[in-house]
Amino acid sequence: MLRRTFLGMLGATCVGASLPAGAEAAGKEFKGYPGSKGVLFDATRCIGCRKCEAACNKVNKLPKPEKSFDDLAVLDTKRRTDAKTHTVVNKYGTPEHPVFRKSQCNHCLEPACASACFVKAFNKLPNGAVVYDESVCVGCRYCMVACPFEIPTYEYDEPLTPRVMKCDMCAPRQAKGQLPGCVAECPKEALIFGTRDELIKIARERIRRNPDRYVDHLYGEDEMGGTSWLYISGVPFNKIGMREDLGTKSAPELTAGALAAVPMVAGLWPVLLGGIYAVTKRNSKVADEERKEAVESAIAKASSEAEKTLSEALEKADVANKRQIEVEVKKAVEDALKPVEPEESAESGEAENSEKEES
Amino acid sequence: MSTPANNGPKSAFNTFNLVAGAILLVGLVLTVLRFTQGIGPVTNLDDNNPWGLWIGFDLLCGVALAAGGYTTSAACYIFGLKRFHSAVRPAILTAFLGYALVVFALQYDLGRPWRLPYPIFVSQGTTSLLFEVGLCVMLYLTVLFVEFTPAMFEWLGWKKIRKVVVKLTLVLTIFGVVLSTLHQSSLGALYTIAPSKLHPLWYSTYMPLYFFVSSIAAGMSMVIFEGSMSHKKLHRMMDEEYLKHHDGVVFGFGKAAALVLFGYFFIKMMGVAYDNNWHYLVSGYGLLFLTEMLGFVALPCFLYGVGVRDRNLSLIKKASIITVLGIVFNRFNVSMVAFNYHLPSSERYFPSMMEIGISVFIVTLGVVIFRFITTRMPIFFEHPDYKGDH
């Protein structure tokens, strides 16, 4: 049993040890691939023309929307990306001073979707794009739960081959040396494509030169560990639908603790439980032995006591017997020595009888 | 003669069978709908709410409520509390069925269910907590199946293989506890990746621990609850040995559940203190949180305590029902009510009738299979050929 227990423990430990191999890398700080690309969005330049939406629709060969991309009335209702739309522009602010903000996948440096995916369907490419591999996706949608920017969408109406849909920063176009569709179409240069490091410099420079025009924050530089898309704006970011409470921890950092506990549990639990088992087993064995001993000694004690009482009783009985015999003998002798009378002989006969009864 | 005869209901058309049959029929229709139309037409899920009732109830609650398997077998075989022995088989069976149904229910929620083995056999996403859940649930389901087989082998009369499996009991039990610790806690850890979506009163880095500890209370409460349900409905299948120990098991688990709930209450409060979230308690969500903590943790803890002290069986059973409901309430809060709390109410999720229908279908399926097995195999009684052979 012991050998088998040990093998069981060994097996459990191996399972645990094999798990967090990838998580280890996640613990270290990762500041993106060197020279990776990104896009800078300047909310002060965006005019809400929806040209980027139309371009995205075209280059990704997505289905035509119900209302054409020239219909700007669409901007009056808040929209989000969906399975047929990889990017949307929303209108914020007052009617006199509208502010527009484009949203799409932010291509995190350490993507929550990639960290959450249990089949590695998401990959961060060295060029900065986070791409999705349909061929392994199981459709669990944990990526959608994990994404803090609420970007991945799902083909819910597809019964057999539903896909997760999101912007891939036009990775295929990038591979051919082309700009992402939306950047290429933007008429106001509200979108700039370049290496992330360059974009950060440009953004800082714009903010430094026009402190009245911009809020002094480069969104995406540190949010969720940093993203490849960067944003500058003239109004606070929470006013244009961007969360400012996401913190700077990347998704892998958030789950690193839980993952790190796995091998510890797998390694220590069997030892602890095996130990408890051994102790309880030993305890019950000892208790059994003690009980047995106690019973034995109790029996021994009882029997010796019984013997003692018996012998005492026998002795007593012996003494009593002797005494009685003595008394009887004495009586008989006295009776015999008495002068014999005729009536008394009958009496002595009775006495003889009674003596016989007694004996 | 303690082996009960199978003198169950004579007609197949009793109330139970009719109701269960109707539910199963509706379930089949919904199943066809789901796999021909897709997830969208059947559910209220959307891009903001990718996980709904099927994850919140079928998976999270299913796994937590099936925790009776590892708690009971650990109590009996590892901690040497032999008086719980009669409760082990029903608990193992419930756990096995629970997990099997969790995996079954998952088929509805997954976009491409036939790829379920992918994370383990095709492309391993080891950085994902869901990978850990998947791996552990797969292994644990296997362990539970093996732990259940002696009852089946006794029913079939396969003595040799039964003997081999029985010898593995301790190893299987330890393996089961390790796997349960890992995946029960990983279910909580799934949500640690989304601090921006889960309300701060529920979000905590301690969530894995909360899920694990609450699963112990859930498991023990389910053993009590399910034991008393079976007592009513399947009394004819129970032998003297089972009945003799039943009250003792209830008192023992009641006592343990009171202690676990007590500890759980405090670690939950420590979580609130650690993140300094006290100010949220005076909000709407605060009220919900307090309802959960006071009504479904502190109250059953107290009732269990009083019930054990006064030897009051019915009070303990009431406490077990409250605890079971409390676990469901907690998992619903984490996965649905307090999740996406930042979204406007128009974008929030509420399950569709068809989603609820599938969940009811799956629970019914579980009850039907449980009845089928317990009225045939030696679960509530010892098989005459293997008396006292543990």
Side-chain angles (χ1 to χ4, degrees):
Chain A
M1 205 62 194
L2 261 178
R3 186 173 59 92
R4 244 181 252 135
T5 314
F6 173 71
L7 288 176
M9 289 172 190
L10 201 68
T13 319
C14 291
V15 169
S18 68
L19 283 176
E24 217 174 317
K28 293 170 201 148
E29 207 166 320
F30 176 71
K31 276 290 160 203
Y33 289 105
S36 74
K37 300 291 195 289
V39 177
L40 174 65
F41 172 79
D42 189 334
T44 67
R45 296 188 180 195
C46 180
I47 55 166
C49 65
R50 301 186 67 206
K51 289 273 195 304
C52 51
E53 288 186 32
C56 178
N57 179 280
K58 199 176 140 200
V59 304
N60 289 300
K61 300 188 180 67
L62 297 168
K64 283 272 162 264
E66 282 174 37
K67 291 176 182 169
S68 85
F69 288 107
D70 301 327
D71 184 359
L72 297 185
V74 169
L75 294 171
D76 291 335
T77 47
K78 194 191 150 211
R79 294 174 301 149
R80 63 153 291 157
T81 55
D82 60 43
K84 293 164 186 163
T85 325
H86 292 180
T87 183
V88 291
V89 176
N90 274 314
K91 185 159 83 172
Y92 300 92
T94 57
E96 304 88 66
H97 301 286
V99 186
F100 301 95
R101 199 261 299 183
K102 180 180 179 303
S103 79
Q104 73 299 304
C105 176
N106 285 325
H107 300 275
C108 307
L109 299 183
E110 291 187 76
C113 54
S115 151
C117 184
F118 69 165
V119 285
K120 286 196 287 191
F122 290 93
N123 275 300
K124 175 83 177 169
L125 300 182
N127 71 9
V130 176
V131 293
Y132 164 72
D133 177 8
E134 181 200 330
S135 71
V136 290
C137 180
V138 180
C140 71
R141 307 188 296 286
Y142 187 33
C143 50
M144 297 165 73
V145 169
C147 178
F149 303 109
E150 285 157 9
I151 289 302
T153 67
Y154 198 63
E155 292 181 317
Y156 282 107
D157 296 331
E158 189 62 55
L160 293 175
T161 55
R163 292 171 293 173
V164 172
M165 303 294 276
K166 71 170 198 69
C167 154
D168 59 357
M169 211 152 90
C170 284
R173 280 171 65 91
Q174 274 197 56
K176 284 188 264 173
Q178 290 170 309
L179 286 175
C182 53
V183 178
E185 281 299 309
C186 183
K188 299 300 266 185
E189 285 191 354
L191 296 170
I192 311 174
F193 181 80
T195 64
R196 188 173 183 266
D197 297 339
E198 272 171 18
L199 295 175
I200 290 172
K201 278 183 200 141
I202 294 170
R204 288 251 173 77
E205 187 65 11
R206 282 191 194 172
I207 295 170
R208 192 184 64 77
R209 285 200 181 169
N210 306 289
D212 302 336
R213 193 180 157 103
Y214 292 104
V215 172
D216 186 15
H217 180 63
L218 173 55
Y219 194 99
E221 189 178 10
D222 297 314
E223 271 77 10
M224 290 303 292
T227 59
S228 289
W229 275 67
L230 299 159
Y231 300 80
I232 47 176
S233 162
V235 294
F237 288 95
N238 60 23
K239 293 278 194 305
I240 53 172
M242 299 174 81
R243 296 191 67 167
E244 292 187 304
D245 58 350
L246 297 181
T248 57
K249 267 192 188 172
S250 68
E253 272 178 90
L254 292 168
T255 54
L259 280 172
V262 171
M264 292 302 120
V265 171
L268 284 179
W269 238 207
V271 178
L272 184 68
L273 297 173
I276 291 171
Y277 168 75
V279 169
T280 48
K281 202 180 172 190
R282 169 95 190 121
N283 273 353
S284 72
K285 201 180 160 195
V286 168
D288 275 349
E289 271 168 12
E290 277 173 358
R291 200 177 305 131
K292 214 172 147 196
E293 239 167 60
V295 168
E296 269 168 12
S297 75
I299 289 171
K301 204 176 159 194
S303 65
S304 76
E305 259 170 29
E307 247 167 57
K308 204 174 149 197
T309 22
L310 188 67
S311 65
E312 274 171 12
L314 284 174
E315 236 167 70
K316 259 185 207 166
D318 214 30
V319 170
N321 241 7
K322 270 184 190 165
R323 197 168 290 160
Q324 204 171 2
I325 291 168
E326 267 169 33
V327 170
E328 293 297 336
V329 168
K330 215 174 169 185
K331 212 177 166 189
V333 170
E334 273 174 11
D335 280 351
L337 291 180
K338 268 185 186 171
V340 183
E341 279 171 37
E343 321 98 314
E344 276 175 7
S345 71
E347 265 177 36
S348 75
E350 270 175 31
E352 250 170 55
N353 279 347
S354 70
E355 236 172 75
K356 262 180 200 167
E357 273 168 28
E358 269 175 39
S359 68
Chain B
M1 279 312 292
S2 54
T3 309
N6 187 359
N7 49 3
K10 285 177 185 79
S11 164
F13 293 96
N14 53 50
T15 328
F16 175 85
N17 283 2
L18 286 177
V19 174
I23 294 173
L24 295 185
L25 209 65
V26 173
L28 286 179
V29 174
L30 292 174
T31 305
V32 172
L33 272 178
R34 152 68 187 90
F35 288 103
T36 53
Q37 307 292 302
I39 299 174
V42 181
T43 68
N44 280 347
L45 298 175
D46 58 36
D47 292 329
N48 287 330
N49 301 288
W51 284 1
L53 187 69
W54 290 347
I55 296 294
F57 181 73
D58 303 1
L59 180 76
L60 295 185
C61 296
V63 168
L65 295 177
Y70 84 89
T71 42
T72 313
S73 53
C76 179
Y77 297 124
I78 296 177
F79 293 87
L81 304 171
K82 293 280 187 252
R83 65 205 153 97
F84 292 152
H85 191 267
S86 65
V88 169
R89 278 199 176 172
I92 293 278
L93 175 63
T94 313
F96 172 61
L97 286 182
Y99 277 88
L101 289 173
V102 163
V103 175
F104 178 68
L106 209 53
Q107 308 298 315
Y108 290 81
D109 191 72
L110 291 175
R112 306 188 194 201
W114 53 91
R115 285 185 178 176
L116 191 56
Y118 272 34
I120 292 152
F121 298 108
V122 177
S123 176
Q124 295 81 10
T126 47
T127 57
S128 173
L129 282 156
L130 200 59
F131 174 79
E132 194 198 324
V133 173
L135 184 64
C136 288
V137 168
M138 187 199 74
L139 291 173
Y140 188 46
L141 190 59
T142 316
V143 168
L144 279 172
F145 178 72
V146 178
E147 282 185 305
F148 162 72
T149 50
M152 201 172 68
F153 294 145
E154 286 174 17
W155 179 56
L156 294 169
W158 298 357
K159 295 195 178 183
K160 270 188 189 160
I161 185 158
R162 177 198 169 274
K163 211 175 161 189
V164 173
V165 177
V166 166
K167 276 192 177 163
L168 289 173
T169 303
L170 180 68
V171 175
L172 287 173
T173 304
I174 289 183
F175 205 42
V177 176
V178 171
L179 292 168
S180 292
T181 310
L182 290 176
H183 72 257
Q184 293 284 0
S185 59
S186 305
L187 286 176
L190 282 181
Y191 289 89
T192 54
I193 204 167
S196 60
K197 293 187 180 178
L198 186 56
H199 191 278
L201 281 174
W202 282 270
Y203 184 89
S204 163
T205 45
Y206 295 129
M207 255 191 303
L209 197 61
Y210 294 161
F211 268 59
F212 173 61
V213 174
S214 59
S215 84
I216 299 175
M220 291 190 286
S221 300
M222 264 311 268
V223 170
I224 297 173
F225 173 67
E226 178 236 291
S228 57
M229 287 296 286
S230 305
H231 224 66
K232 273 185 199 158
K233 305 285 176 196
L234 294 162
H235 199 275
R236 62 182 192 282
M237 296 310 299
M238 296 168 177
D239 66 1
E240 283 154 21
E241 190 70 15
Y242 180 88
L243 294 172
K244 191 176 84 192
H245 285 115
H246 178 258
D247 290 0
V249 170
V250 171
F251 286 126
F253 272 12
K255 197 178 189 178
L259 292 170
V260 173
L261 285 171
F262 187 77
Y264 178 68
F265 185 87
F266 272 90
I267 59 172
K268 282 284 275 187
M269 283 312 167
M270 282 171 195
V272 175
Y274 184 77
D275 293 327
N276 201 9
N277 283 332
W278 298 109
H279 59 286
Y280 287 111
L281 289 179
V282 288
S283 63
Y285 278 104
L287 197 65
L288 190 72
F289 183 78
L290 287 175
T291 309
E292 189 188 313
M293 292 315 299
L294 299 176
F296 291 101
V297 181
L299 178 67
C301 171
F302 176 73
L303 294 182
Y304 268 132
V306 173
V308 170
R309 188 195 63 186
D310 297 349
R311 310 294 286 174
N312 184 341
L313 220 54
S314 77
L315 192 62
I316 293 179
K317 286 176 181 173
K318 283 189 189 95
S320 76
I321 295 172
I322 299 172
T323 312
V324 167
L325 290 177
I327 291 294
V328 175
F329 190 50
N330 171 260
R331 301 305 195 249
F332 275 16
N333 284 339
V334 170
S335 64
M336 290 181 275
V337 184
F339 191 78
N340 274 339
Y341 73 104
H342 61 290
L343 291 180
S345 55
S346 61
E347 292 174 27
R348 297 298 304 277
Y349 163 85
F350 192 85
S352 71
M353 282 314 289
M354 288 191 267
E355 282 176 270
I356 297 171
I358 290 286
S359 292
V360 173
F361 163 66
I362 286 166
V363 171
T364 310
L365 200 62
V367 175
V368 169
I369 301 175
F370 186 79
R371 258 176 75 110
F372 179 87
I373 294 178
T374 50
T375 49
R376 280 162 183 80
M377 298 184 197
I379 304 298
F380 291 118
F381 60 93
E382 279 182 284
H383 195 285
D385 296 355
Y386 308 92
K387 273 230 154 292
D389 171 23
H390 311 300

